[in-house]
Amino acid sequence: VKAAIVAVGSELLGPGRPDTNAAWLAERLERLGAEVRMRCLVADDEAAIAGAVIAAAAQSGIVVVTGGLGPTEDDRTREALARAAGVPLERDPDRLERLRALYASRGRTLGPEQERQADRPRGARFLENPVGSAPGLIVALGGARVAALPGVPAEMTAMFEAGVAPEVSALGAGTIVRRLLRVAGRTESSVDVQLRDLYDAVGVEVTILAASGSIDLILRARGADVSQARARLEAVEGEMRRRLGADLYGDDDVTLAAVVGGNLARLGRTVATAESCTGGLLGGELTTVPGASAWYRGGAVAYANDVKVLAAGVDPARIAAHGAVSEEVARAMAAGIRERLGADYGVAITGVAGPSGGTPDKPVGLVHHAVADRRGSAHVELRWPGDRALIRRRSVVAALDLLRRRLMEG
Ligand code: ATP
Ligand code: MG
């Protein structure tokens, strides 16, 4: 069954108030086997809500609306549903009595504004609210069922589970399972070309996303039940894993830093960092991993040339000969920090993050990364477009990936 989500709330349209209800509902609907095809946000405005609900219902079997069911004047969802369905809004006498009793039990009286919570479009069904006062509504609109729930997240989730989830499962849509595969050291297009022929597998949808230096593949498999969905997922996932080999660094929520840290911990080895243009971001990323103290020695932010000498032990003659942004200096920083901090691995980054400071020879976005160990050092040079923040983030990913690959070599 196709599903749509309409979040009502003028405050959600501006910055600062994320629509977390829709994110939660999308995940939940998917797990119940519904295919979320549309998500929209509308202001607290009757015509806007009615328009959104009509558009959503025209292409869905189930529409979930959140917000705008409270007692205040700006709560317009009831009126909008009546308008969308072309039916009058009616006050339900039984519901009014129950609201009165509910308010009385809390020592409050039901004013004319609160009485609106007993209104429903003709033919609509109320959905009980075990947590708050505003009931939800279920309205038929063409071939779609529209379920309207309050905006308060705790009320919305409780009412969805109790009143809407069983109906979605009953629509017999089966289930969806998903997997995230994470790739480093590759471009989006090269991954796309390598895997393209796998995108058409029956019941499996693949999305490829580039995320600052790393690539995410999102696999969603549909099946009549969990075991069928899993079997479909695993067939595609297994082949992708085989083709991607060492470029695949993990799945689902794992980060590159956590993978590197896990490998260091397993091998009983340590790492130290020397960073120029990333100014400590690499050390920061490594220390996001709990337990990093077992394998991260520390590092130097070696920004100025004389600090590269003082803190990372680079020979000044090397900087004079090749420049601070060079393969030679990156390798020297990695070897120097490794030795000074007594680590098994040294990792270094030196580059031009911009927006100024680039030359024809060494343009903005040129970054050298190096990893040193007792066998010697590895180096990778990357030239990336992008702004300063993006270049710095990608450099961290590239350095972590260089270390990860060195660790895999033993
Ligand atoms: P209700 O139908 O329960 O009255 P409402 O939208 O009319 O909901 P508001 O006063 O607008 O009530 O919102 C109640 C709270 O719920 C606010 O803190 C609001 O930010 C939050 N909220 C409403 N919609 C969402 C949403 N889509 N995602 C996250 N929070 C939401
Ligand atoms: Mg609101």
Side-chain angles (χ1 to χ4, degrees):
V1 63
K2 289 178 181 148
I5 301 166
V6 177
V8 177
S10 298
E11 78 280 9
L12 303 167
L13 291 164
R17 281 241 175 206
D19 174 14
T20 56
N21 283 352
W24 185 89
L25 283 166
E27 210 225 311
R28 212 46 206 94
L29 284 163
E30 252 190 21
R31 269 200 281 140
L32 292 163
E35 210 177 314
V36 179
R37 284 306 181 109
M38 172 176 178
R39 231 163 105 164
C40 72
L41 263 176
V42 280
D44 295 305
D45 174 86
E46 190 180 316
I49 303 166
V53 168
I54 289 168
Q59 44 191 308
S60 318
I62 178 107
V63 178
V64 183
V65 181
T66 81
L69 285 181
T72 59
E73 183 51 36
D74 65 356
D75 291 313
R76 311 303 306 172
T77 297
R78 281 175 292 264
E79 289 78 359
L81 288 178
R83 184 197 280 219
V87 298
L89 193 64
E90 297 173 334
R91 188 146 300 173
D92 183 86
D94 286 348
R95 182 59 50 169
L96 194 58
E97 269 325 298
R98 288 169 62 175
L99 270 175
R100 229 172 236 137
L102 179 71
Y103 272 66
S105 75
R106 295 177 184 171
R108 291 161 60 199
T109 50
L110 194 70
E113 272 303 313
Q114 285 90 25
E115 287 182 6
R116 297 174 60 232
Q117 297 174 96
D119 292 350
R120 65 171 162 182
R122 181 175 290 167
R125 185 155 63 75
F126 284 112
L127 265 180
E128 295 312 318
N129 183 341
V131 195
S133 63
L137 290 169
I138 298 220
V139 186
L141 203 68
R145 299 238 188 169
V146 181
L149 306 174
V152 179
E155 298 182 22
M156 186 281 293
T157 55
M159 290 171 70
F160 180 86
E161 296 300 359
V164 184
E167 297 213 20
V168 179
S169 324
L171 291 169
T175 191
I176 291 176
V177 292
R178 67 157 67 215
R179 169 82 75 232
L180 183 65
L181 298 180
R182 317 201 77 175
V183 179
R186 294 278 300 273
T187 63
E188 188 178 12
S189 56
S190 82
V191 172
D192 192 50
V193 166
Q194 189 187 20
L195 304 180
R196 198 171 275 173
D197 61 297
L198 301 174
Y199 295 177
D200 298 327
V202 174
V204 183
E205 195 179 295
V206 180
T207 310
I208 179 165
L209 291 176
S212 33
S214 113
I215 310 286
D216 285 345
L217 289 156
I218 302 167
L219 279 64
R220 293 163 68 255
R222 166 185 307 285
D225 54 29
V226 173
S227 68
Q228 186 186 38
R230 285 234 169 89
R232 286 174 167 175
L233 182 80
E234 278 160 17
V236 176
E237 182 188 341
E239 180 58 18
M240 286 187 171
R241 282 182 185 279
R242 199 187 62 72
R243 291 190 195 178
L244 291 165
D247 298 336
L248 183 81
Y249 67 82
D251 48 44
D252 296 327
D253 290 331
V254 81
T255 65
L256 199 46
V259 170
V260 165
N263 288 340
L264 285 164
R266 197 165 38 75
L267 297 167
R269 305 214 181 121
T270 60
V271 65
T273 52
E275 302 178 61
S276 186
C277 64
T278 48
L281 288 177
L282 175 59
E285 185 62 22
L286 287 169
T287 54
T288 60
V289 183
S293 58
W295 45 264
Y296 183 53
R297 295 280 301 145
V301 177
Y303 217 62
N305 284 355
D306 59 313
V307 180
K308 292 182 177 69
V309 175
L310 279 170
V314 179
D315 180 352
R318 208 181 272 256
I319 298 177
H322 305 282
V325 178
S326 60
E327 172 177 347
E328 289 78 5
V329 169
R331 287 186 190 266
M333 286 168 70
I337 203 72
R338 167 179 182 267
E339 198 169 301
R340 293 209 167 183
L341 299 193
D344 298 301
Y345 294 88
V347 184
I349 300 176
T350 178
V352 190
S356 59
T359 63
D361 238 31
K362 298 184 176 179
V364 169
L366 170 68
V367 185
H368 291 275
H369 311 76
V371 173
D373 58 21
R374 64 182 167 76
R375 294 177 297 142
S377 63
H379 160 262
V380 62
E381 169 192 316
L382 292 165
R383 289 168 194 259
W384 277 309
D387 65 8
R388 187 174 172 87
L390 198 57
I391 288 167
R392 286 163 25 111
R393 270 206 311 280
R394 285 171 165 174
S395 297
V396 169
V397 171
L400 288 170
D401 194 46
L402 189 61
L403 175 58
R404 181 184 71 92
R405 289 172 195 265
R406 190 79 173 179
L407 285 164
M408 284 191 312
E409 290 164 15

